[in-house]
Amino acid sequence: MSYQLTIEPLGQTVEVEEGQTILDAALRAGIYLPHACCHGLCATCKVQVLEGEVDHGVASTFALMDFERDENKCLACCAIPQSDVVIEAEIDEDVDAQNLPVRDYTGKVIRLENLTPTVKGLWIELEQDIEFQAGQYVDLHLPEGIGGRAFSLANPPSTGKVVELNIRIVPGGKATTYVHESMQVGEEVRISGPYGRFFVRKSAEVPLIFMAGGSGLSSPRSMILDLLAEGFSLPITLLYGQRSMAELYYHQEFLALAASHPNFTYVPALSAEPEGSSWQGFRGFVHDAAIAHFNNDFRGNKAYLCGPPLMVEACIGSLMKGRLFERDIYTEKFISAADAQQVRSPLFRAL
Amino acid sequence: MDTQVTKKKLGLKERYKLLTRDLGWETTFHSREEVFPYVHYEGIKIHDWDKWEDPFRLTMDAYWKYQAEKERKFYAIIDAHAQNNGHLNLTDAHYLTAIKIFLQAITPGEYCAHKGFARVGREFGGVGTQVACQMQSLDEVRHAQTQIHAMSNYNKFYQGFHAFSDQRDRIWYTSVARSFFDDALSSGPFEFMIAIGFSFEYVLTNLLFVPFMSGAAYNGDMATVTFGFSAQSDEARHMTLGLECIKFMLEQDPANLPIVQKWIDKWFWRGLRILALVGTMMDYMLPKRVMSWKEAFDIYGIENGGALFNDLARYGVRAPKGWGDAAAAIDHMSHQLMLGLYQWSFGTAFHGWIPSDDEMEWLSAKYPDSFDKYYRPRWEHIKKLAAAGTPFKNYGLAKLCQTCQLPCVFTEPGDPTLICHREIDYKGEKYHFCSDGCKEIFENEPEKYIQAWLPMPQLFQEPLKGDLGAWMNYVSLVDGQDNGDFDGSQDQINFDKWRGMATSNK
């Protein structure tokens, strides 16, 4: 039996299937609710239930306190309606959000390529076009009981049926090991998406800084390809860090883009390139490259950060000391259960 | 029948914009500087007031409805508590010592906060800020009132509750809290926000309220627990106002950072000194303990405070200067202050007592590195003196710290056997301090602190001229009734008698 879920302040009503969470139902209907960990730990998706009953599911007692349950708060990512439900979410209208509906897609692996010794490029041709905003991610469903894993789309939205994922092998990680060692061209795969709020706020019309590290290049690459293709004319700077030249995938592509687009500046940085190698570029971390390149003054830009947590944290600190603050910094965070255990203060909402 | 079309509700942001749209008019009769004269002299540079966000965006309309509902629930429970002799459900009457200190020292602080937020709500330039400060001002006066009402029931049956406002102004240990709030109230608007909105409401509030309210719950004090629940629901808003203020200052201009850092250093240390009273309450005064002061500090101070200062580090803010000294003092401060309160118990509007053997076992388990080595021997000695009929009383007066106004009973960082004492000469007068932290605060603003009203010098001035009996009248303290040993006090005798009547046929 299904129920009606009404989401205030939008006033939109959507269907919820039995056992489906509020968050899943909303996202699939194209309504974005703030969320992060998706399993009841981080409390990003806390909403007010105005009418109706919900089952709190696995919501952690740390993320949803007893007194908040008494006040009819719930965590949308694990709250399952037990009747018709009306919720009120703190939704600020974001003119750049397209609120695209999440769908399930089936496709075939058409190409597999080692981009670096640790990063595998994976191209999937879907049975239908997928609509997404550059920077968003999808869930890739893997067989052998592995389940779904989130990966950012590395291609721009213009490629239609074909999507590209760049997947770094995580030692001991079941999913990435499967992709690197067992996945075959021709194999059928399923993805669902698009998810996430990591997209360019084009309406702000300010210069853009992208800071990418490790396998966090996917979203910035998709965003930059999209921007340049549509003729975005304000300055775009990509600060891109890897350990060594061998890991610096898509280096030639960005050099070529910088040569052909005067508003695009490419600043690669290597943190562990052997002394005396042929590398002529910046040696050090991405945030240090950024401080040097911008002379420690980031005012008037918007910055998009994607990479390992330590890199993102160092970049946030550098940007803030260079006078760029929370309202102009965007990150894509993949929260694991271990991250959610960290004690954070409520000083920042999105960072 | 036509299908009903539900009107699209306004978002919180839009609703709030409509609520406040006409409050931020451009002044024409007077310049902005004349209308908001106090926002510049502290040196804080602001370029755009609209960047101060009030994420709660609570409308006055919603605020009244919410608070009214809370009041109804609160007073229903307070009535039930009074009518059912709720005071006889306490674990023991000496629990009330904690509540007396709270009423004499902390509740008047809520009232001060009310006055302060009303003032800064007028002095700040931004509309969101003005509304948020006004609401907090109303919250604070409600907190003061509900606390007084919650505890007034005990005043019918027990000593020491009858003159809390006199005691707040005049007695020595409450002047610690009084001077904290007087200091904040006589600061500029931005420093007030760091003192109360940030330091008190965010960094210290968990250390203050969680122990008191859990202490109340553990010891059968339904009235105080109810107050706690009612106030707790405002705290998220208060913490947010403080956090938004500090972000706003740090983001508006790089020149604000050193000013803000100095205030953080100052108000952390001042707050820690107030918490000495709370720590003593937790470790010594609750018949049924919740957790030790040290455990509370580990969770709410080290862990949560540490997380906050990690986040603030992104702005270039470092942890408060006294952080290390504070952590080192945690093993000692409650014991040192309790020994002080015991030896001067003739001058407190609550009772003192020697910890029982059970209590000393608990203290030794909670403070394995300090209690048995430094403090148990002193209590054993005090116990021996009491048994011999010569209880240890110190009829001398404590030397008070010019800044925090606590008696100089704390020890050197790193040596718990040596009293920490600092003094400086300023314009021909000698001033005393309990710590480096308090001395530095004085040195930064000597002209402010030489005006401090100190209870001990007051005793020697007109009209008291050192007359202890006259002093007791002056502070509304009834000798032999409100003060002295708990054993044999009217509170103890009456509680045991009434509880006996309530629970047996005698």
Side-chain angles (χ1 to χ4, degrees):
Chain A
M1 137 143 222
S2 71
Y3 297 113
Q4 304 266 309
L5 167 67
T6 305
I7 298 164
E8 301 290 2
L10 305 177
Q12 280 192 43
T13 301
V14 303
E15 291 285 309
V16 194
E17 297 303 320
E18 184 154 12
Q20 192 181 16
T21 65
I22 288 177
L23 179 66
D24 194 56
L27 292 178
R28 282 176 187 274
I31 299 170
Y32 178 81
L33 299 179
H35 64 282
C37 78
C38 294
H39 47 278
L41 290 175
C42 76
T44 308
C45 64
K46 198 180 289 169
V47 296
Q48 179 74 46
V49 178
L50 298 174
E51 283 169 38
E53 295 283 323
V54 300
D55 177 341
H56 289 299
V58 297
S60 151
T61 50
F62 291 98
L64 188 67
M65 305 284 185
D66 287 347
F67 76 87
E68 294 177 305
R69 293 169 200 238
D70 293 342
E71 290 173 356
N72 283 329
K73 297 275 196 308
C74 75
L75 299 185
C77 75
C78 38
I80 297 166
Q82 306 295 302
S83 68
D84 287 351
V85 165
V86 181
I87 62 161
E88 180 163 30
E90 181 134 9
I91 306 172
D92 282 344
E93 242 181 301
D94 188 335
V95 292
D96 296 298
Q98 292 174 22
N99 291 323
L100 298 168
V102 173
R103 293 211 173 88
D104 294 322
Y105 298 85
T106 317
K108 271 196 173 57
V109 176
I110 54 168
R111 188 177 146 204
L112 283 163
E113 187 188 319
N114 290 325
L115 297 173
T116 81
T118 63
V119 178
K120 178 87 84 180
L122 161 64
W123 283 260
I124 302 165
E125 182 167 351
L126 304 172
E127 286 170 359
Q128 59 184 114
D129 283 4
I130 176 170
E131 218 188 327
F132 69 97
Q133 289 185 263
Q136 287 191 295
Y137 65 91
V138 295
D139 254 349
L140 172 66
H141 300 275
L142 296 166
E144 301 176 5
I146 296 171
R149 293 289 190 281
F151 296 102
S152 295
L153 291 161
N155 55 298
S158 56
T159 57
K161 285 190 177 62
V162 177
V163 296
E164 174 186 347
L165 307 177
N166 300 157
I167 298 174
R168 166 156 285 169
I169 190 158
V170 178
K174 271 196 256 174
T176 59
T177 305
Y178 176 85
V179 170
H180 274 254
E181 291 171 9
S182 309
M183 189 168 263
Q184 300 296 326
V185 171
E187 186 172 324
E188 188 169 287
V189 288
R190 234 167 20 88
I191 64 170
S192 53
Y195 297 101
R197 298 289 277 183
F198 193 57
F199 47 78
V200 177
R201 270 59 179 182
K202 293 175 187 172
S203 63
E205 296 182 2
V206 294
L208 304 175
I209 301 171
F210 293 92
M211 301 167 95
S215 55
L217 181 69
S218 296
S219 293
R221 176 169 179 257
S222 172
M223 292 158 134
I224 290 167
L225 293 174
D226 182 47
L227 287 163
L228 293 178
E230 68 175 32
F232 185 86
S233 59
L234 293 167
I236 301 172
T237 307
L238 170 64
L239 297 129
Y240 171 36
Q242 290 292 3
R243 290 178 56 76
S244 61
M245 279 168 79
E247 291 293 340
L248 199 65
Y249 62 103
Y250 287 130
H251 179 55
Q252 293 305 329
E253 179 185 79
F254 289 120
L255 286 175
L257 284 172
S260 59
H261 295 83
N263 65 324
F264 177 61
T265 309
Y266 172 52
V267 184
L270 298 181
S271 60
E273 175 67 11
E275 291 285 327
S277 76
S278 64
W279 179 246
Q280 298 293 313
F282 187 88
R283 287 172 188 262
F285 291 111
V286 171
H287 63 279
D288 291 323
I291 292 170
H293 185 78
F294 284 90
N295 200 18
N296 199 27
D297 182 357
F298 301 103
R299 286 177 295 180
N301 293 282
K302 275 189 183 288
Y304 296 85
L305 281 45
C306 201
L310 277 177
M311 181 214 102
V312 169
E313 184 56 40
C315 289
I316 291 171
S318 303
L319 290 169
M320 287 184 46
K321 287 183 191 99
R323 317 299 302 159
L324 194 74
F325 300 108
E326 191 174 18
R327 65 177 67 79
D328 294 313
I329 301 175
Y330 302 86
T331 66
E332 183 60 284
K333 275 197 282 198
F334 294 100
I335 292 197
S336 68
D339 293 329
Q341 300 296 319
Q342 276 185 344
V343 182
R344 287 296 304 267
S345 83
L347 191 68
F348 299 105
R349 278 180 293 279
L351 294 181
Chain B
M1 209 172 90
D2 289 343
T3 320
Q4 240 189 336
V5 180
T6 40
K7 247 206 215 143
K8 196 183 149 191
K9 274 178 73 178
L10 285 174
L12 290 171
K13 209 175 196 171
E14 287 75 35
R15 240 185 291 164
Y16 191 73
K17 214 183 246 169
L18 287 173
L19 169 86
T20 58
R21 64 184 166 182
D22 292 328
L23 292 175
W25 68 85
E26 286 300 320
T27 57
T28 49
F29 294 167
H30 297 282
S31 69
R32 246 189 109 73
E33 284 66 33
E34 288 171 310
V35 177
F36 301 106
Y38 301 113
V39 291
H40 301 293
Y41 79 96
E42 295 170 282
I44 294 289
K45 293 193 172 71
I46 302 300
H47 307 288
D48 181 4
W49 279 97
D50 288 341
K51 287 276 175 5
W52 187 328
E53 285 173 28
D54 174 16
F56 278 92
R57 301 190 195 106
L58 191 60
T59 60
M60 251 321 153
D61 180 49
Y63 178 82
W64 293 129
K65 279 184 198 154
Y66 196 52
Q67 301 300 340
E69 177 67 30
K70 284 200 291 192
E71 296 278 280
R72 277 198 293 279
K73 285 182 177 150
F74 172 77
Y75 284 104
I77 294 173
I78 296 298
D79 276 354
H81 175 80
Q83 296 200 10
N84 294 312
N85 282 325
H87 68 104
L88 295 179
N89 292 331
L90 294 179
T91 45
D92 192 74
H94 81 67
Y95 159 76
L96 291 172
T97 306
I99 294 305
K100 291 173 194 176
I101 294 180
F102 195 94
L103 185 62
Q104 295 160 11
I106 306 299
T107 300
E110 304 266 17
Y111 188 72
C112 289
H114 151 67
K115 290 198 290 182
F117 278 104
R119 192 199 100 203
V120 297
R122 168 63 187 82
E123 292 180 0
F124 283 135
V127 165
T129 324
Q130 290 165 353
V131 174
C133 288
Q134 183 185 0
M135 282 178 188
Q136 183 158 354
S137 173
L138 292 168
D139 291 337
E140 301 292 1
V141 78
R142 200 181 72 85
H143 292 181
Q145 286 172 344
T146 47
Q147 281 167 21
I148 293 163
H149 289 156
M151 296 176 210
S152 67
N153 187 45
Y154 296 117
N155 182 41
K156 294 183 203 159
F157 304 100
Y158 304 96
Q159 314 296 351
F161 287 98
H162 60 287
F164 71 90
S165 61
D166 282 353
Q167 283 151 4
R168 180 269 174 186
D169 285 349
R170 300 173 179 181
I171 219 164
W172 56 284
Y173 52 92
T174 55
S175 75
V176 177
R178 174 191 161 167
S179 83
F180 180 97
F181 283 98
D182 284 354
D183 193 350
L185 283 172
S186 54
S187 301
F190 285 108
E191 186 180 351
F192 174 84
M193 287 301 292
I194 293 291
I196 308 299
F198 176 73
S199 181
F200 200 75
E201 291 286 349
Y202 186 77
V203 185
L204 306 171
T205 198
N206 281 330
L207 281 164
L208 180 67
F209 278 88
V210 176
F212 262 107
M213 298 316 149
S214 334
Y218 272 51
N219 288 282
D221 180 2
M222 186 49 75
T224 302
V225 169
T226 309
F227 155 72
F229 280 131
S230 141
Q232 192 178 22
S233 50
D234 299 323
E235 294 303 330
R237 211 158 13 86
H238 297 179
M239 289 183 183
T240 304
L241 183 57
L243 291 179
E244 288 302 321
C245 176
I246 199 167
K247 285 170 74 174
F248 176 66
M249 283 189 260
L250 293 168
E251 291 181 12
Q252 281 292 304
D253 199 286
N256 295 341
L257 173 61
I259 303 174
V260 169
Q261 181 73 57
K262 207 170 216 177
W263 287 338
I264 289 175
D265 292 347
K266 168 181 171 180
W267 289 100
F268 170 75
W269 191 255
R270 294 227 58 184
L272 186 80
R273 280 308 189 224
I274 289 202
L275 291 177
L277 283 168
V278 180
T280 307
M281 182 276 287
M282 291 180 78
D283 284 343
Y284 284 90
M285 295 175 188
L286 299 178
K288 170 98 183 123
R289 310 281 158 86
V290 180
M291 56 167 81
S292 67
W293 163 244
K294 183 185 165 78
E295 288 167 324
F297 191 81
D298 281 347
I299 297 173
Y300 300 112
I302 305 284
E303 198 171 297
N304 293 0
L308 173 70
F309 285 103
N310 276 342
D311 284 345
L312 280 171
R314 290 167 165 179
Y315 287 109
V317 171
R318 51 159 178 72
K321 209 174 189 178
W323 191 262
D325 282 353
I330 290 311
D331 270 328
H332 304 281
M333 60 194 276
S334 64
H335 313 298
Q336 292 171 352
L337 185 57
M338 187 62 189
L339 283 159
L341 293 174
Y342 176 80
Q343 61 180 297
W344 289 300
S345 71
F346 69 92
T348 59
F350 54 82
H351 300 108
W353 64 90
I354 300 167
S356 68
D357 291 345
D358 278 358
E359 286 170 330
M360 285 208 255
E361 275 312 300
W362 184 87
L363 287 164
S364 114
K366 294 296 181 185
Y367 291 93
D369 300 329
S370 63
F371 187 75
D372 284 348
K373 189 166 176 196
Y374 301 108
Y375 304 107
R376 185 193 282 274
R378 288 187 225 179
W379 284 116
E380 298 293 359
H381 178 67
I382 286 169
K383 214 159 117 183
K384 230 183 280 168
L385 290 175
T390 54
F392 179 65
K393 294 291 167 206
N394 182 348
Y395 288 102
L397 299 178
K399 173 155 55 193
L400 300 184
C401 172
Q402 185 75 21
T403 302
C404 74
Q405 308 208 356
L406 275 162
C408 295
V409 295
F410 301 110
T411 50
E412 287 287 346
D415 186 357
T417 64
L418 186 63
I419 291 285
C420 181
H421 175 229
R422 304 283 181 270
E423 58 179 43
I424 55 173
D425 292 307
Y426 183 77
K427 292 192 175 169
E429 294 276 347
K430 206 172 271 306
Y431 296 94
H432 306 281
F433 304 95
C434 71
S435 59
D436 291 324
C438 281
K439 178 168 162 266
E440 271 178 43
I441 292 169
F442 178 96
E443 284 167 336
N444 286 331
E445 294 167 277
E447 288 298 321
K448 183 170 198 177
Y449 294 100
I450 59 172
Q451 302 173 58
W453 181 93
L454 285 159
M456 296 310 176
Q458 184 63 41
L459 173 54
F460 289 101
Q461 291 165 19
E462 290 284 353
L464 303 173
K465 292 187 185 161
D467 178 345
L468 212 53
W471 175 79
M472 287 194 180
N473 286 337
Y474 170 70
V475 301
S476 301
L477 175 69
V478 184
D479 192 26
Q481 183 177 289
D482 300 331
N483 60 359
D485 268 2
F486 178 72
D487 284 331
S489 69
Q490 286 179 15
D491 279 8
Q492 186 224 5
I493 292 164
N494 285 336
F495 180 79
D496 289 350
K497 188 168 92 189
W498 295 330
R499 169 106 103 191
M501 288 161 67
T503 57
S504 73
N505 299 313
K506 275 183 254 173

